[in-house]
Amino acid sequence: LRRSREHRHSPALCKTAALEEECRKPERSLGRIAELVETLAADPVVARPKKAVLGDWRLVFASNEEALAPFTSRCVSPPFGVVEDIFCRIDRGNDMRIIEVERRVGPFGNAKRALQARYDIVAAGKGSADRLAFQARWMDDPSGRETEPPSKEKVSAELIAAGSLIVLRDIATGSGSPASSCLVFSRLSPKQLARALDDL
């Protein structure tokens, strides 16, 4: 019981809660988010993701559009449409599904597209960080038809698993060098994901 209480109130979990709270604020502090991410990356309790990444996730923070691009259909064209939400389902069988919700201007309903990918977690070597790598296989368009994805290049990112959050940073596409970038996803239950998609 003592260990359980200590785990619930560990510094890592407190930092995770603080990061999630900061990401959900209408006016977020980028400096504070960067500070909390660095703290979580250095914490050995959350530095080994493995099974911790399995499940459903909702994007709650993106540092910039470039970081988000590999996780979208790249079919959304402002000002007539904007990316409203991004969800991600990571399964045990190395399947990864990224669902994009586009909010369209005018009398049109929202459009949903999904990238179906295969993923792998590249274990950290000495002095390095675990990385999540994935490659899109196909895309489901708004009508549910399978189409070619916007890119089949491999995408990889440093992976920080922190309980109710996962952080992807230093995202690299293809053979390019990792860019300074950061995405934060918050865990959802299957029912929460279904409800969110119905509401959108």
Side-chain angles (χ1 to χ4, degrees):
L1 180 61
R2 182 180 177 183
R3 285 187 179 180
S4 176
R5 285 175 178 169
E6 287 175 351
H7 178 70
R8 285 201 302 268
H9 300 287
S10 71
L13 292 181
C14 291
K15 293 295 184 182
T16 297
L19 176 58
E20 187 162 12
E21 181 183 357
E22 189 65 40
C23 287
R24 294 185 183 281
K25 289 180 180 178
E27 294 186 9
R28 298 169 288 196
S29 167
L30 299 183
R32 177 63 173 157
I33 289 174
E35 174 190 337
L36 290 167
V37 168
E38 285 293 340
T39 302
L40 290 173
D43 193 318
V45 174
V46 295
R48 294 292 179 267
K50 307 302 179 186
K51 295 179 181 179
V53 303
L54 300 176
D56 297 325
W57 305 89
R58 185 176 200 165
L59 182 73
V60 293
F61 173 77
S63 59
N64 50 52
E65 291 184 6
E66 289 75 17
L68 190 58
F71 297 80
T72 68
S73 68
R74 307 179 210 182
C75 297
V76 179
S77 301
F80 304 106
V82 295
V83 175
E84 179 80 359
D85 243 317
I86 296 287
F87 301 91
C88 184
R89 168 166 284 175
I90 302 177
D91 292 332
R92 290 182 183 277
N94 291 97
D95 287 321
M96 180 176 177
R97 187 169 177 83
I98 304 169
I99 303 169
E100 167 196 278
V101 180
E102 175 192 5
R103 177 165 56 83
R104 294 185 287 190
V105 175
F108 309 103
N110 289 349
K112 298 181 179 74
R113 301 176 183 86
L115 294 174
Q116 189 67 37
R118 295 285 289 175
Y119 79 93
D120 189 23
I121 294 177
V122 182
K126 189 174 181 180
S128 61
D130 292 326
R131 292 187 71 83
L132 172 71
F134 71 90
Q135 188 170 18
R137 301 167 66 199
W138 73 81
M139 182 173 75
D140 293 335
D141 69 12
S143 65
R145 291 175 301 185
E146 289 185 14
T147 62
E148 282 294 303
S151 172
K152 288 188 176 180
E153 285 189 312
K154 181 173 284 189
V155 179
S156 70
E158 180 183 340
L159 174 60
I160 304 166
S164 62
L165 298 178
I166 54 174
V167 179
L168 301 177
R169 67 175 185 174
D170 296 341
I171 300 165
T173 304
S175 58
S177 300
S180 178
S181 51
C182 178
L183 301 177
V184 181
F185 291 83
S186 177
R187 183 182 292 280
L188 296 176
S189 69
K191 286 185 178 180
Q192 287 173 323
L193 174 60
R195 191 180 306 120
L197 291 173
D198 286 343
D199 291 343
L200 293 168

